[in-house]
Each structure stands twice: as structure tokens, then as C-alpha cells.
Amino acid sequence: MERKYLYLDYLTCIGCETCETVCAFIHDGNPNIRIYVTENKQYVPINCKHCDDAPCLRVCPTHAIYRDEDGAVRIHEEKCIGCLACLQVCPYGVPFYSLKVKAITKCDMCADRREEGLEPACALMCPAEAIQYGPLEIVLELVKERRAKNIPEHQRELSDEELERSVISGYSVL
Amino acid sequence: MRGMKFSFLCRSKPEKTGKRVAIIGAGPAGLTAAGYLVCKGHDVDIYDKMPEPGGLMLFVIPEFRIPVERVRLGAKELEEEFEVTYYPKTKVMEGERQDEGDEFYERVVRLSELKEKYDAVLIATGIWNVRRIGIPGDDLEGIISPLELLFWIKGHELGYVPKEKVPDLKGKKVGIIGAGLTAVDVAFECNRLGAEVEIFYRRTIREAPAGAYEINILRNRGVKWFELVTPKRVIGENGRVKAIELLRTRLGEPDETGRRRPIPIPGSEFQVELDYLVFAIGMVSTPPVNGSYLATDRRGRIVVDSRHMTSVEGIFAAGDVVNGPTKVGRAIKDGLYTAVSIDKWLRGEL
Ligand SMILES: Cc1cc2nc3c(=O)[nH]c(=O)nc-3n(C[C@H](O)[C@H](O)[C@H](O)COP(=O)(O)OP(=O)(O)OC[C@H]3O[C@@H](n4cnc5c(N)ncnc54)[C@H](O)[C@@H]3O)c2cc1C
Ligand code: SF4
Ligand code: SF4
């Protein structure tokens, strides 16, 4: 299957909390995408980027972290020993340990929904269209199209290559 | 561009339950509830006083934050794929009251009538009245309600308001009182239309609900930011705004919101000349009732129980009309959980 990306564009996000809300709704009140508030009151959703070169996947000693056929970085719960090595290396501090599941939990790109042919809920419901889901080419195109509507303060001169690196979160780990 | 998918929980319409739900208000709370209910097989009709669905997302919030197309396509999907019927330009009311945006409606339907016709009713009518400040001169010409001003500007761009209605702000001095999401969006729009904008806030940028980030973007655009000032009276000339008289404030002990209370400093009065003045100091819930048909609290918000049901069995309420001013995400959350309740109640499980 074709690799899908789930890209959250901070230059477009208005911090409305819809993504966190719908994620919590479909996960019994425990969202995988969470809003953090910065010192100057920007509301910033933090979520797994399903990195192309995912440090968490590389570091996991028990190979509990794998990539599924759509490209989502996922957890084999029964293999996770809770060592938190993935949390140590995730640039975004995404994985967290669930005492209930007794394993790391994180965004699985709405795996259950994808099985039913539905897309990730946050991307479908974000009113600002700040979250794009799909194959790389389409995501890049939609991000560019949406960014063109941003105020100048939220536009950046990025080369296609730079934008692509941001979307795939392929900042190579030195 | 793709539309918001309010029916994000299902792919297609399931088997019909035969139950009919009326939703009043097509903002994020109402539309999201509709999306949930159609996924459960109920028939949904949506009544709204504006010419098209979307609520504040469509008619007030600027295009650069929430694109019109994103909301429009979302509302359309509910209509085309899930047979939701919209009744636009239809104000629902039990009793009478003037609200913002009333110039757009053409018909009135009574809430009690909808209660008779449908198996359940959901009220999601938001906060469509602006709080009055109550100082001398606050009714002078040139004082514009923030909602009205944003309706005119966006409504004109959407093709519902003739150009003559939008005040020509080029080179005009516009004063804005307040520092919330509304104040900031009014400032953005007035600045874009060429006005000289000044914002007056009684606390400091650190307490401003809109946040320093947004305010600093405006300041970089030339909007003037006055903090620690509070309006005392509006000064007029021939019935029109000429200036505002302000008092300086200092911050005292924290109040019930945890923010430090502004205390006016006696004798610190000064005046600023203005052509227009906008009080963006808060908005008030607008339930489709005036009177005792259903229970509201001291601040006019609809009172609901743990089932999100109002004091009238079978009438539910969600969104800002219940919670007061919040954000899109909160309205969507409330719409979702209320829809869960409605579905359970319709199935006799609640
Ligand atoms: C200027 C401004 C800027 C904002 N910016 C942001 C932002 O950047 N991010 C954010 O998250 N939130 C923002 N908000 C808040 C957000 O818009 C609201 O919290 C949200 O829209 C509330 O949703 P709702 O569905 O409860 O009500 P609304 O969106 O207000 O929808 C209510 C609907 O009910 C209809 N209606 C009202 N009365 C009647 C009646 N009697 N009969 C029939 N129909 C009726 C109205 O026409 C409307 O369509 C902003 C609000 C304002 C005013
Ligand atoms: S739903 Fe979209 S705009 Fe709202 S907080 Fe999430 S990413 Fe940002
Ligand atoms: S490193 Fe973090 S963001 Fe990247 S795939 Fe792993 S958990 Fe997700």
C-alpha cells in the first residue's frame, strides 16, 4: 500500500482544540494528540509525526515498534517492556506509558478507522485544514494550497525540498 | 480543498431508525451533533437564522483562520450524502428578543412547534448578543458591535451584504476595547481595511485572553496597544463618537478567574480621539427562548443536566449557548457528547 503522511502544519493551526477533542472522543477520553500552551499563549497540538526515519523504531530494544502498511509507526503492545527508550529519543516527546495497557501508547494514525476505510479523525475535522492526510504528493500540494491563504506572518519561503523534509519528518538523526 | 467531515464516524448512512431530530443552530456544535446523529441512522433537519450553515466559523472568523470553503463543503456533505435538510433564514424563538444577525432571517418558527413535530430537539444557538458596557455615551453613533462589524465585512465578501453597509474604514481611527479572540479579529479586519486601529485593555498583554503572540502580530502591523486602561465615558459631538475618556488602572489581587483584578486609578483620566469604537468585552448566550419556557441561569445560559437535556424533556442543548464563549473545539466536544445522549435517549437507554 502507498505510504501515507499525517502532517500538522503549525503555520496554519489556530489552536482550536478540535483535533484533541475528536481524538479523545474515539479513544475513551484519552487523546493521542494533545494541546500544549506556549509561554506567549500559542495553542500547539503535539502528535506523532510517523517519521520516515523514526528514532523510536530504531531504538526499541525488543522491536516492539513497527511500521504498518500505510506507514503508521505502531506498537506491538505485548512486546513492549516499558523501558521508555522511545520516549527518550522521540524529538516530540510523543510516546507515553499507559498503566492500563501496560505498554507504550501513541497515535496509530487511526488504525481501526483505516481498516474500515475511514481517514484519521483529526485531519477530517480540523476546521482550519491544518492537518493533511494522504500520500506525500497530495499532502504537499494541499499544504501549499492552504498556506497560500495564511496571513503573511504565517507564510514562509521554503523550497519544495524543505517542505518535504518537514512533512516526512525526515530530519536525519546525526 | 476538502470539507470538514462532520460525519467522521461513518462512511455512509446506516439503516434508518425513523426518528427525527431538529437542530437549531448550524455552528460547529450543531453540525457536529448532526454528523453523529446521521451516522446513527436518525433523520436530521437543521434550522438557522443565517443564509447558510457554519455559524461563527463562516460569518465571523476571518478566512485566513478558517477557510469558508472548508466549512461550506462540510455542510454540503451532510446534505448530499446524509440527507440533512437545512432551513436557513429561519429564526427559532419562543417569545421575542432581538439578537445580532437578525437582519438575515425571513421566517420565525416557535421552539414549542419543533418540539411537537420532532422526536428530539437540540439547541446550539451560541452567543449571538454582545455585552453592553453601561457607561455614559455608549449608545452614540459610530459605536459598532463587533459581531455586526464582522458580519458586514465577511457577509459582504460572501455576497450577502451590499457594499454600502460596510463602513469605509480607510484612514479612520477605530478604537477597540477588549483583548479576546473577538477584539483581535476585529483589529485584524479593520487594519486590513486601512483603519488606524488602537486596542485598549484593562490588564496587561500577559493576561490578554487572545495571547501575546496574536497581539504582537497586530502591533507589528501598526496596531497600537494600550494596556492598563479602562473606559470611563464616550464623548460625542452631534450624536457621534468623537473621543473616549479612559482611566489608567493598576493590577490588584487575583479575582475568581485567577487573573489580577484591574483597579482604576482616580484622577488618571485622559482622552483619545476616535471615529469608531468597538466594545469587544464579551458575548452573551442567545437561547431560542425569552421567558420561562425552559430554564436559563443568571447569565442567560441554558441549564442542562448530566444528559445534556434542558428543563424540558426531549430538548437538549450544546455549545456556547450552554457554556458561554469558548472555542470551536469545545463546541464540537459538547456537540458530540450531547449527540451521544440524544441517540441513547431516542433508543430508550437514558
Ligand atoms: C470574533 C470571534 C473569533 C473567534 N475566533 C476563534 C478562534 O480563532 N478559534 C476558536 O477555536 N474559536 C474562536 N471563536 C469562538 C468560536 O467561534 C465559538 O466558540 C464557536 O463557534 C461556538 O460554536 P456553537 O456551535 O456553539 O455556536 P455558533 O458558531 O455561534 O453557531 C450558532 C448558530 O446558531 C444560529 N442561531 C442563533 N440563534 C438562533 C435562533 N434563535 N434561531 C435559529 N438559529 C439561530 C446562528 O446563526 C449560528 O449559525 C471566535 C469567536 C468570535 C466571536
Ligand atoms: S483542529 Fe486544527 S486548528 Fe484546531 S488545534 Fe488541531 S490542528 Fe490546530
Ligand atoms: S520518533 Fe516520535 S514522532 Fe517520530 S515516529 Fe516515533 S513516536 Fe512518532
Side-chain angles (χ1 to χ4, degrees):
Chain A
M1 229 183 275
E2 194 172 6
R3 168 82 160 98
K4 307 291 197 307
Y5 289 86
L6 184 65
Y7 183 64
L8 197 160
D9 187 2
Y10 291 126
L11 286 173
T12 302
C13 169
I14 59 168
C16 72
E17 303 178 26
T18 298
C19 47
E20 185 185 90
T21 288
V22 295
C23 187
F25 185 79
I26 58 177
H27 293 107
D28 295 325
N30 302 308
N32 291 321
I33 184 165
R34 286 166 199 243
I35 306 278
Y36 291 79
V37 186
T38 64
E39 188 56 34
N40 59 355
K41 286 223 190 90
Q42 269 192 288
Y43 286 68
V44 185
I46 302 285
N47 188 37
C48 176
K49 318 275 178 206
H50 303 278
C51 312
D52 256 9
D53 182 13
C56 61
L57 195 148
R58 284 213 264 145
V59 81
C60 177
T62 63
H63 304 288
I65 303 182
Y66 68 103
R67 191 181 297 280
D68 75 14
E69 63 276 17
D70 282 327
V73 171
R74 299 188 38 196
I75 313 277
H76 280 303
E77 281 162 9
E78 69 292 351
K79 284 194 195 167
C80 174
I81 54 169
C83 69
L84 302 187
C86 52
L87 175 57
Q88 291 265 8
V89 298
C90 171
Y92 314 98
V94 158
F96 55 95
Y97 188 75
S98 159
L99 284 171
K100 207 166 104 202
V101 188
K102 294 210 166 42
I104 282 291
T105 57
K106 58 179 279 301
C107 166
D108 58 8
M109 245 189 211
C110 283
D112 294 346
R113 292 172 54 83
R114 282 186 284 123
E115 245 163 62
E116 291 172 43
L118 293 163
E119 297 188 354
C122 57
L124 292 178
M125 280 296 282
C126 168
E129 218 200 356
I131 309 180
Q132 305 287 3
Y133 171 78
L136 185 59
E137 292 308 311
I138 291 176
V139 168
L140 288 172
E141 200 175 301
L142 289 170
V143 170
K144 274 193 254 175
E145 187 195 319
R146 178 59 185 87
R147 276 192 185 182
K149 282 188 186 292
N150 283 356
I151 49 173
E153 289 85 344
H154 287 176
Q155 291 184 11
R156 299 287 184 273
E157 293 212 1
L158 277 184
S159 68
D160 283 358
E161 198 187 324
E162 282 161 331
L163 180 61
E164 180 171 329
R165 219 179 301 149
S166 171
V167 170
I168 67 179
S169 198
Y171 302 104
S172 66
V173 189
L174 298 175
Chain B
M1 172 158 313
R2 302 171 186 176
M4 285 174 82
K5 192 168 160 53
F6 296 105
S7 62
F8 69 96
L9 290 161
C10 67
R11 276 181 65 171
S12 54
K13 206 173 159 85
E15 206 176 307
K16 288 195 186 218
T17 59
K19 301 280 188 198
R20 298 180 67 228
V21 182
I23 297 180
I24 310 159
L31 290 173
T32 307
Y36 183 89
L37 292 168
V38 294
C39 282
K40 293 289 176 185
H42 307 303
D43 268 326
V44 175
D45 289 354
I46 307 184
Y47 295 80
D48 198 293
K49 67 178 186 179
M50 297 303 273
E52 65 172 304
L56 293 177
M57 293 193 294
L58 197 88
F59 283 98
V60 169
I61 298 179
E63 171 78 3
F64 69 82
R65 296 197 202 278
I66 300 182
V68 165
E69 233 13 51
R70 178 79 173 153
V71 181
R72 263 194 187 150
L73 291 171
K76 206 162 133 193
E77 196 240 11
L78 284 178
E79 190 174 25
E80 288 176 354
E81 308 294 323
F82 293 92
E83 296 167 43
V84 165
T85 306
Y86 293 108
Y87 294 90
K89 298 186 187 176
T90 309
K91 182 167 178 171
V92 178
M93 208 54 206
E94 194 70 30
E96 267 174 50
R97 190 189 55 234
Q98 279 245 313
D99 302 322
E100 301 278 338
D102 270 1
E103 65 267 33
F104 293 97
Y105 78 78
E106 290 170 359
R107 292 166 289 276
V108 182
V109 175
R110 288 168 64 129
L111 178 59
S112 51
E113 229 175 279
L114 295 183
K115 162 125 181 59
E116 291 308 311
K117 268 173 63 184
Y118 291 86
D119 296 296
V121 176
L122 169 63
I123 298 172
T125 46
I127 40 163
W128 283 52
N129 260 332
V130 173
R131 193 184 299 155
R132 295 288 299 268
I133 189 159
I135 55 169
D138 71 359
D139 54 356
L140 287 165
E141 205 185 310
I143 296 184
I144 323 178
S145 130
L147 280 190
E148 204 168 44
L149 181 60
L150 292 168
F151 286 155
W152 288 336
I153 295 171
K154 197 121 185 243
H156 171 62
E157 277 155 20
L158 292 171
Y160 296 117
V161 176
K163 195 168 177 12
E164 311 83 76
K165 275 224 90 159
V166 189
D168 181 11
L169 295 175
K170 210 169 177 78
K172 295 281 170 25
K173 287 189 79 173
V174 180
I176 300 168
I177 314 284
L181 297 174
T182 308
V184 157
D185 281 352
V186 170
F188 265 109
E189 295 293 53
C190 293
N191 173 270
R192 186 169 62 90
L193 297 178
E196 280 177 49
V197 183
E198 304 180 45
I199 304 180
F200 305 100
Y201 183 50
R202 58 202 181 126
R203 294 186 169 98
T204 75
I205 197 164
R206 248 179 296 154
E207 290 84 19
Y213 182 78
E214 291 281 335
I215 291 164
N216 284 331
I217 290 180
L218 287 166
R219 288 165 89 181
N220 278 337
R221 289 185 174 201
V223 168
K224 289 210 190 83
W225 167 257
F226 282 91
E227 56 184 26
L228 295 171
V229 289
T230 191
K232 187 178 172 190
R233 63 185 178 114
V234 189
I235 300 155
E237 196 176 69
N238 306 324
R240 248 201 90 84
V241 175
K242 184 167 176 284
I244 183 161
E245 185 167 295
L246 299 142
L247 273 166
R248 296 193 191 281
T249 61
R250 63 181 174 83
L251 294 184
E253 294 300 308
D255 62 12
E256 63 279 1
T257 66
R259 294 178 303 173
R260 293 175 64 193
R261 193 190 303 274
I263 304 167
I265 304 170
S268 65
E269 288 87 348
F270 68 103
Q271 297 183 359
V272 178
E273 294 219 353
L274 295 171
D275 300 307
Y276 290 100
L277 180 58
V278 181
F279 288 101
I281 55 163
M283 294 195 302
V284 184
S285 295
T286 44
V289 279
N290 195 7
S292 55
Y293 183 79
L294 54 74
T296 52
D297 72 6
R298 200 165 42 85
R299 282 150 73 184
R301 298 176 298 191
I302 297 183
V303 177
V304 294
D305 62 18
S306 59
R307 302 170 297 170
H308 304 266
M309 200 187 282
T310 66
S311 57
V312 179
E313 184 79 5
I315 301 186
F316 297 77
D320 282 5
V321 73
V322 175
N323 302 309
T326 62
K327 296 212 288 183
V328 172
R330 278 284 304 281
I332 283 181
K333 178 177 185 177
D334 213 35
L336 273 175
Y337 287 98
T338 305
V340 172
S341 265
I342 296 174
D343 174 57
K344 283 194 183 144
W345 184 79
L346 285 172
R347 291 171 196 276
E349 294 164 12
L350 205 72

